Amino acid sequence: MRSDKMKAGASRLPHRALLKSLGITDSEMKKPFIAVINAASEYVPGHTHLHEIARAVKDGIRNAGGVPFEFFTIGVCDGLAMNHEGMRYSLCSRELIADSIETMLMAHPLDAAVFIPNCDKIVPGMLMAAARLNLPSVFVSGGPMMSGVVKNKRVNLSETFEAVGKKLDESELLDFENNACPTCGSCAGMYTANSMNCLTEAIGLALPTNGTEPAVTAARRRLAKETGELIMQLYAKNICALDIMTRANFDNALTVDMAIGASSNTVLHILAIAQEAGVSLTLDDIEAIGRKTPQLCKLNPASEIFIEDLNAVGGICAVMRELSKADLLNLNEQTVSGTQKERVENARSVGCGVLDAPIIRTLENPFRKDGAIAIMKGNLAEKGAVVKQGAVNPEMMNITGTAKVFDGEQAAVDAILNDEIIASDIVVIRYEGPKGGPGMPEMLAPTAAIVGKGLDGTVALITDGRFSGASRGAAIGHISPEAAAGGLIAYVQNGDKICIDIPNRKLELLVDEAIIEERRKTTVLKTADVSGYLARYVRLTTSADIGAVFK
């Protein structure tokens, strides 16, 4: 046992004395020690109930003969951090989470680990740590929030941001405030948190329904207890994280990513997780998978279908069952509970639904013939950019518009809300990349304001920052190189023409090269004026096209 490093033999008498001060008995000392890594906090809606989930996990571990030890990580709520300086700490927290878990489990060697994340950066941060440590590992999330209802329409967080841009009276705004987010859990749409929890299931590191079973159900508690029991089986078989985090399973996760219309943030995180796992993966690889994978689901914010609806028709396993009919998955790969093939065989067939329209479409009738996420390139994004094309209006797929340039998010939001943005404008928000932001903040406020103003069919937004999974519309992010690194986006000026051609994956500034060269000579690049952890982050972080990982 790995834990014997701190509990076995005469030289470990002091260590055992410390463990016994915790109440550990002689019989427990001989059993496997299991880490329970919990991201619980009292003011993050997705994490406020994780103490309860952890209790169920620990019960399962004890049921199966292990000794659980719980410790905690930080977790930023992107909704609460949105549109102020706090958002600069969101992506930054991913590396802190991975580092802190590595530190705890190297300092105190335990035998296996159960990870309990729920929200945006916590899931990838924990996945990165699991890859580094390569212990028997399994994940169980806190589960999604239920959708709310406002004026007989189902809503969630994205609609509250869009309401800000609409001309609503105080009572209407209060209706959204009181009813849009009715339960604990990760926000109810296919935003980043739920996207990453679904992909953790798809890659094989969590049990079926991990990504979709609502936070408030008894089934979620049973899933947590079963996860605690499962980790003991993985320990007994010595099935470790990297046995599951293979290139083939990364491909499975990316295929599901494209099919379910997941958040564009998944691209950033999967690249980072793959690097930790020693798996070679690039934006070109992701684009190749997207080209051959049909989009079978369109969930909120792209529709009025929510995660709870996907769960009701079989969840991720049902999606994978349909994808398997076209040989799009690697079914022989190992998961924490058998092979991918076994999961697919036990999944519910597509065709059932709880709404008027199918929630999971068939291969013969997809929403798109290619995936929901596209990788774009061009002179404005030589190393790549990312768009959630599955949430873009058809009329915005191929446009040429006029640049309205803003050095930072807030100036753009003010301009949108003050009606300074008109049809055919392309809002350019720069100096919001990994180094320039710093921290690559999400741009939900401006995209939601564009939708709220009724401009999502005529106005696009491009940025070296990124977007919340709750964003919709012609929103292109992760532009690399970023402005702070001298990318072409730093030299765009008001009135320039920009061509966005999503079907052909092109993002081009239509300005003569000689003019651009003159601008390069006279433009002074801006640097972030930050201190503390953000200053260290600026020194260490890399470009979005390789996951914004540390050097």
Side-chain angles (χ1 to χ4, degrees):
M1 288 188 287
R2 186 172 180 266
S3 59
D4 282 348
K5 292 179 181 180
M6 67 177 183
K7 69 180 184 181
S11 66
R12 296 299 183 255
L13 184 153
H15 305 66
R16 290 193 296 276
L18 288 169
L19 289 167
K20 284 190 173 180
S21 76
L22 301 174
I24 298 298
T25 66
D26 287 334
S27 64
E28 287 178 318
M29 205 76 74
K30 299 173 184 177
K31 296 177 181 180
F33 282 9
I34 310 300
V36 177
I37 306 159
N38 191 353
S41 68
E42 292 187 346
Y43 66 93
V44 177
H47 292 193
T48 187
H49 64 304
L50 293 190
H51 292 294
E52 186 179 351
I53 299 298
R55 281 195 296 272
V57 168
K58 290 186 285 187
D59 287 345
I61 291 170
R62 292 190 182 97
N63 287 348
V67 183
F69 290 87
E70 182 180 8
F71 68 90
F72 299 90
T73 67
I74 61 170
V76 172
C77 173
D78 281 22
L80 294 174
M82 195 71 66
N83 197 220
H84 60 81
E85 65 182 5
M87 178 46 71
R88 306 197 184 284
Y89 287 85
S90 174
L91 180 60
C92 298
S93 72
R94 187 185 70 184
E95 270 60 33
L96 281 177
I97 290 164
D99 289 350
S100 66
I101 295 169
E102 176 192 354
T103 299
M104 285 293 287
L105 288 180
M106 292 305 292
H108 317 112
L110 304 189
D111 299 304
V114 177
F115 296 82
I116 308 176
N118 213 29
C119 291
D120 301 59
K121 307 311 152 312
I122 299 90
V123 187
M126 287 187 174
L127 285 164
M128 291 163 70
R132 285 184 200 175
L133 293 161
N134 195 29
L135 297 172
S137 300
V138 62
F139 282 64
V140 58
S141 75
M145 183 184 291
M146 303 293 286
S147 59
V149 177
V150 173
K151 289 188 175 180
N152 296 317
K153 180 181 178 181
R154 298 170 74 203
V155 299
N156 201 245
L157 182 68
S158 61
E159 286 81 7
T160 66
F161 278 91
E162 291 169 9
V164 174
K166 297 178 180 179
K167 295 180 180 179
L168 302 178
D169 61 34
E170 188 173 339
S171 66
E172 290 174 311
L173 291 171
L174 188 61
D175 196 5
F176 276 99
E177 185 176 320
N178 288 337
N179 298 303
C181 299
T183 72
C184 64
S186 48
C187 298
M190 190 55 80
Y191 311 158
T192 305
N194 290 327
S195 296
M196 288 306 304
N197 284 324
C198 287
L199 297 189
T200 303
E201 179 182 335
I203 206 171
L205 277 170
L207 284 167
T209 74
N210 172 73
T212 56
E213 182 63 50
V216 294
T217 65
R220 173 60 60 178
R221 276 79 188 149
R222 293 195 298 272
L223 182 69
K225 192 175 292 185
E226 291 163 358
T227 297
E229 294 170 347
L230 175 63
I231 191 61
M232 299 307 299
Q233 298 175 32
L234 296 173
Y235 167 74
K237 297 175 182 177
N238 195 31
I239 298 173
C240 296
L242 294 184
D243 295 323
I244 294 169
M245 301 173 82
T246 62
R247 171 58 194 265
N249 263 335
F250 272 96
D251 286 354
N252 285 337
L254 285 165
T255 300
V256 171
D257 194 356
M258 296 296 174
I260 62 176
S263 165
S264 58
N265 278 322
T266 57
V267 173
L268 194 72
H269 297 320
I270 287 177
L271 288 170
I273 297 161
Q275 288 193 52
E276 294 286 1
V279 171
S280 177
L281 194 66
T282 68
L283 286 179
D284 290 339
D285 296 326
I286 294 172
E287 171 63 15
I289 290 172
R291 285 286 192 180
K292 66 181 182 180
T293 304
Q295 183 181 352
L296 303 182
C297 302
K298 184 172 281 194
L299 277 68
N300 180 270
S303 77
E304 294 180 28
I305 297 172
F306 291 84
I307 299 291
E308 66 207 67
D309 305 317
L310 178 59
N311 187 68
V313 297
I316 295 304
C317 285
V319 174
M320 294 180 76
R321 180 182 179 120
E322 188 65 18
L323 291 168
S324 71
K325 295 176 183 178
D327 295 325
L328 292 170
L329 299 171
N330 302 292
L331 296 180
N332 292 324
E333 292 301 299
Q334 176 73 48
T335 77
V336 291
S337 57
T339 65
Q340 296 282 15
K341 182 178 181 181
E342 290 168 330
R343 289 190 172 192
V344 164
E345 288 175 344
N346 292 326
R348 196 179 307 183
S349 296
V350 172
C352 52
V354 294
L355 301 179
D356 293 336
I359 294 164
I360 304 170
R361 288 196 176 184
T362 63
L363 292 169
E364 294 74 26
N365 183 36
F367 285 100
R368 301 184 54 85
K369 292 183 179 180
D370 57 355
I373 295 173
I375 307 301
M376 302 181 69
K377 291 190 176 181
N379 66 355
L380 258 178
E382 291 181 4
K383 294 184 178 180
V386 181
V387 62
K388 187 175 177 177
Q389 62 174 344
V392 178
N393 290 347
E395 63 270 25
M396 297 297 290
M397 295 293 287
N398 191 340
I399 62 167
T400 297
T402 304
K404 293 282 183 71
V405 184
F406 303 92
D407 290 348
E409 175 191 12
Q410 190 56 54
V413 173
D414 293 342
I416 296 164
L417 294 178
N418 291 331
D419 298 318
E420 297 171 21
I421 303 301
I422 61 174
S424 297
D425 279 347
I426 295 178
V427 177
V428 179
I429 303 178
R430 63 192 178 193
Y431 293 106
E432 295 287 19
K435 288 183 179 294
M440 208 178 177
E442 290 184 343
M443 302 288 130
L444 177 56
T447 58
I450 287 170
V451 173
K453 288 289 186 179
L455 295 171
D456 53 314
T458 58
V459 170
L461 189 155
I462 68 173
T463 181
D464 51 8
R466 59 196 177 88
F467 297 105
S468 164
S471 289
R472 59 188 173 104
I476 301 168
H478 306 204
I479 288 177
S480 301
E482 62 175 297
L488 186 57
I489 190 173
Y491 307 103
V492 180
Q493 294 185 1
N494 287 329
D496 288 349
K497 295 297 181 182
I498 294 173
C499 175
I500 296 173
D501 183 355
I502 296 175
N504 291 306
R505 310 299 197 254
K506 290 290 185 181
L507 182 61
E508 296 279 347
L509 177 65
L510 305 180
V511 174
D512 186 84
E513 183 62 34
I515 296 174
I516 293 173
E517 283 305 310
E518 284 301 313
R519 293 178 184 178
R520 289 185 194 275
K521 294 175 184 177
T522 58
T523 302
V524 178
L525 299 180
K526 297 184 178 182
T527 56
D529 182 15
V530 290
S531 59
Y533 178 53
L534 287 183
R536 186 165 10 124
Y537 187 86
V538 171
R539 292 196 300 271
L540 294 175
T541 193
T542 55
S543 178
D545 63 289
I546 56 172
V549 295
F550 279 1
K551 294 176 184 175

